[in-house]
Amino acid sequence: MKRYKISLFIAAGLFAFQVNAQDKALVNNSGSPYAKLHSINMGDVTWTKGFWADRFKVATETMVPNMWAIYNDPKISHAFKNFEIAAGLDTGSHSGPSFHDGDYYKTLEAVASLYASTKDPKLLQMMDKAIVVIGKSQRADGYIYTKAMIEQRKTGANNQFQDRLSFEAYNIGHLMTAGCIHYRATGKTSLLDIAKKATEYLYNFYKTASPTLARNAICPSHYMGVVEMYRTTKDPRYLELAKHLIAIKGKIDDGTDDNQDRIPFLQQKKATGHAVRASYLYAGVADLYAETGNDSLMNSLNLMWNDVCSHKMYITGGLGSLYDGTSPDGTSYNPADVQKIHQAFGRDYQLPNFTAHNETCANIGNVLWNWRMLQITSDAKYADVMELALFNSVLSGISLDGKNFLYTNPLAQSNDLPFKQRWSKDRVPYIALSNCCPPNVVRTLAELNNYLYSVSDKGLYFNLYGGNSLSTRLADGTAISLKQETNYPWDGNIKVTLNKTGNKPYGLYFRIPGWANGAKIMVNGKAFETLASPGTYAAVNRTWKAGDIVELVLPMEAQLIESNPLVEENRNQVAVKRGPVVYCLESKDFEGKSIFNAVIPSSIALKAIPTTIGGAAVMSLEGNAKLREKTDWTNTLYHPISKNNETTPIKLVPYFTWGNRGHSEMSVWLPLSR
């Protein structure tokens, strides 16, 4: 890649570094030697019209302002008030979960990402005021964790990382990421300077900490964060720290699968434990591989990815099937060896529907991990998983109006469950016990335009589709701009018009999703003969000129999907998927009948019908299903099956829309009649 080097000296931060052609990317791998694809700059993509443009409009007008208000209101979250108290600007005690600092940093990152796209000066002012307070709350040695620092103001102690379940490093990890993104979006170093001091603190801490003390850092967002700090500052010590974090993983006598440190990372063969912590860990390892090319890291990542996608991932891209599981799989003869695991992957094929956990953060972790795997390999299968999670298990975590949230994302909901589940199955404005998911999903949607394209020495890659305009530079510095027009995911017609290009030949690489059999590409109205196999990037190479038009047609028919027969809960059932969108049957569309008595004929013909749910334009699927006779299951475990040839109209809606019309029952998997 040709480098455009500008020497910068940041007086406040006291560090110098070089800026590359795409140095303002969300994940800045412009100088990563082992990345095959490189990110484009924040702000290079502008949403225009279509599905994601509509979601971004909601993010701009509602999601981000609402989240900012929540995290700055002491009567709701107390997160910002904790910083004020830690800074000595107010009195009182810490309130809220220990990871509240990280929630605030995620919210700040969402605002910075929104600023990168909108350049709204009000957003800049909001961030500036908050960053001043955050800076004042930081200890002189760089340590920053309001829960401990508020107590230390009273006791005079200077302890840190004393709690085995500490979220100090997790919070600092999100500070690192927010600091880098704020700097790239605004050009200001105010938050980056705070993050740099915190990174210095971690570096010095880990140099001397024993493995036992060092393990007191769960949910490793700092693995991604410290690599991003290295990419921003070019300080080699930060890369050294990233390597060390992996090297010490599991080098303790009492590690747990809950924190992926029962055994050393490079010895792990299966994805185990807490799904959020695991996916964040794998994303951080992928970042480290992009800088080092360590084949052992890639080997472990491949093992984890194959295990998750073949055995442990829901059809929606959701991760973490169990509220609580056991490890190592309950196989020890000594019960004392068997550990309780929260938000667990579970065993292979253990994918319950009514009690599926699928924390929204784990589903976002799946996106973060697969984005990095895509960048280091250029393999389209990772973009397929990203897209699957984004359209289904990530979007389901937030209401269509952007104001209410789910912590868990089950694949079925019944009013007749004989127990009360831990988390609400109706979206709520604030999840008081653990509100980590809402700011996470808001920042993800605010940043989504950064995932659409990548560049390589070969040209431009189209990873995701949506109506937008792009203005960027290729790896050799060639300036290009284009416009993408599409109603994706509701139809598969994608039109790309080149508005500006250079005079050298290069390729446009269009992702052909794994479900898209028979995809076709036309250039200026004529069929272009290229390999357009599902699950690959189709290359269109030529010398381009302004005004050239490329049209991609992805056949988008509703498909009945069945699962591996080892997934016991899904035997003799089907799910419906059209393009990247998974569908469900909701009681709102099945009035007077139980959704659990609907039977899908294998020959069903489903017609796509435009509809509106919660103010959002979506596509429903309509057809005729069979209907079983209603059975009274009250105090009954088994019942003879009753035959019924009655048919009934059925309407399926996108899974991510369920619950947006009030409380309802829902199911993704439905009985099949062959």
Side-chain angles (χ1 to χ4, degrees), residues 201-354:
Y201 172 83
L202 281 188
Y203 176 81
N204 292 324
F205 169 77
Y206 278 108
K207 275 181 67 176
T208 58
S210 67
T212 298
L213 186 60
R215 65 77 53 88
N216 290 353
I218 57 178
C219 206
S221 65
H222 57 303
Y223 285 46
M224 288 179 278
V226 73
V227 175
E228 213 57 50
M229 288 296 294
Y230 164 72
R231 290 166 172 167
T232 302
T233 67
K234 307 303 181 189
D235 190 327
R237 295 175 303 149
Y238 299 163
L239 186 59
E240 175 191 334
L241 174 57
K243 294 176 183 178
H244 180 66
L245 289 171
I246 297 298
I248 65 171
K249 196 75 172 170
K251 290 193 174 180
I252 50 177
D253 294 330
D254 59 346
T256 68
D257 280 336
D258 198 45
N259 202 34
Q260 287 79 39
D261 59 7
R262 182 172 59 86
I263 58 177
F265 174 74
L266 293 178
Q267 294 178 24
Q268 296 176 21
K269 307 300 182 186
K270 304 277 288 184
T272 57
H274 194 296
V276 181
R277 297 169 192 172
S279 56
Y280 276 36
L281 168 63
Y282 305 153
V285 172
D287 272 334
L288 183 57
Y289 174 84
E291 306 305 323
T292 66
N294 185 327
D295 289 338
S296 296
L297 297 178
M298 180 55 81
N299 179 62
S300 294
L301 287 170
N302 288 335
L303 288 173
M304 298 304 117
W305 192 88
N306 290 332
D307 183 40
V308 167
C309 292
S310 299
H311 307 130
K312 296 181 170 74
M313 185 173 72
Y314 281 90
I315 191 173
T316 58
L319 299 185
S321 59
L322 306 181
Y323 276 61
D324 298 290
T326 58
S327 184
D329 204 25
T331 56
S332 173
Y333 285 101
N334 181 1
D337 292 341
V338 180
Q339 306 168 353
K340 177 183 175 181
I341 306 298
H342 184 42
Q343 303 183 26
F345 278 115
R347 301 183 180 96
D348 290 358
Y349 308 111
Q350 191 177 12
L351 298 168
N353 295 315
F354 290 99

Side-chain angles (χ1 to χ4, degrees), residues 101-122:
D101 296 2
D103 293 342
Y104 196 86
Y105 299 141
K106 283 183 281 188
T107 305
L108 192 56
E109 180 184 330
V111 176
S113 300
L114 197 61
Y115 178 79
S117 296
T118 66
K119 300 302 180 184
D120 184 344
K122 293 180 181 178

Side-chain angles (χ1 to χ4, degrees), residues 74-127:
K75 296 179 181 178
I76 301 176
S77 77
H78 211 260
F80 187 65
K81 180 59 68 176
N82 288 336
F83 283 109
E84 291 181 316
I85 297 170
L89 302 175
D90 203 345
T91 59
S93 300
H94 183 277
S95 181
S98 58
F99 45 81
H100 239 16
D101 296 2
D103 293 342
Y104 196 86
Y105 299 141
K106 283 183 281 188
T107 305
L108 192 56
E109 180 184 330
V111 176
S113 300
L114 197 61
Y115 178 79
S117 296
T118 66
K119 300 302 180 184
D120 184 344
K122 293 180 181 178
L123 299 176
L124 204 58
Q125 294 169 9
M126 288 160 46
M127 292 187 289

Side-chain angles (χ1 to χ4, degrees), residues 159-177:
N159 296 328
Q160 51 273 316
F161 287 94
Q162 298 301 306
D163 184 355
R164 187 166 182 167
L165 299 179
S166 165
F167 278 90
E168 284 146 299
Y170 167 84
N171 290 341
I172 290 174
H174 282 297
L175 170 62
M176 294 172 180
T177 304

Side-chain angles (χ1 to χ4, degrees), residues 412-616:
Q413 163 67 8
S414 171
N415 294 331
D416 296 326
L417 287 180
F419 53 86
K420 183 178 180 180
Q421 292 185 284
R422 193 176 302 159
W423 301 100
S424 172
K425 294 302 171 286
D426 296 316
R427 294 179 184 87
V428 296
Y430 185 72
I431 307 169
L433 185 62
S434 181
N435 203 61
C436 56
C437 297
N440 213 4
V441 70
V442 166
R443 71 162 179 158
T444 300
L445 297 180
E447 294 169 348
L448 190 64
N449 55 346
N450 296 281
Y451 296 125
L452 266 70
Y453 302 96
S454 299
V455 296
S456 79
D457 293 338
K458 298 177 181 179
L460 179 71
Y461 281 68
F462 290 69
N463 304 319
L464 303 174
Y465 298 110
N468 70 88
S469 60
L470 168 71
S471 180
T472 193
R473 290 185 180 274
L474 299 179
D476 65 357
T478 299
I480 67 167
S481 66
L482 58 82
K483 182 179 182 181
Q484 183 181 151
E485 299 169 273
T486 180
N487 195 33
Y488 192 89
W490 310 128
D491 72 48
N493 300 322
I494 299 151
K495 179 182 177 182
V496 175
T497 304
L498 273 292
N499 297 321
K500 180 180 179 181
T501 184
N503 54 13
K504 300 176 183 178
Y506 60 88
L508 298 181
Y509 293 81
F510 294 91
R511 182 177 64 90
I512 310 300
W515 46 262
N517 292 302
K520 297 179 180 178
I521 296 177
M522 292 181 290
V523 177
N524 296 329
K526 297 180 180 180
F528 189 89
E529 296 300 325
T530 187
L531 191 63
S533 302
T536 68
Y537 281 92
V540 184
N541 289 291
R542 58 182 280 153
T543 300
W544 300 94
K545 63 180 185 300
D548 281 344
I549 295 174
V550 183
E551 294 171 275
L552 173 63
V553 179
L554 302 174
M556 196 172 285
E557 300 295 329
Q559 296 178 319
L560 300 186
I561 308 294
E562 61 181 346
S563 64
N564 187 305
L566 292 176
V567 183
E568 295 182 44
E569 290 216 7
N570 295 343
R571 284 182 183 169
N572 298 317
Q573 297 185 83
V574 291
V576 178
K577 189 166 176 278
R578 183 175 183 270
V581 178
V582 174
Y583 281 75
C584 68
L585 178 59
E586 194 174 8
S587 57
K588 294 289 183 182
D589 301 306
F590 217 56
E591 296 290 350
K593 299 181 285 289
S594 169
I595 62 171
F596 304 109
N597 287 327
V599 179
I600 304 297
S602 59
S603 59
I604 192 171
L606 291 167
K607 184 178 181 181
I609 306 293
T611 189
T612 300
I613 297 178

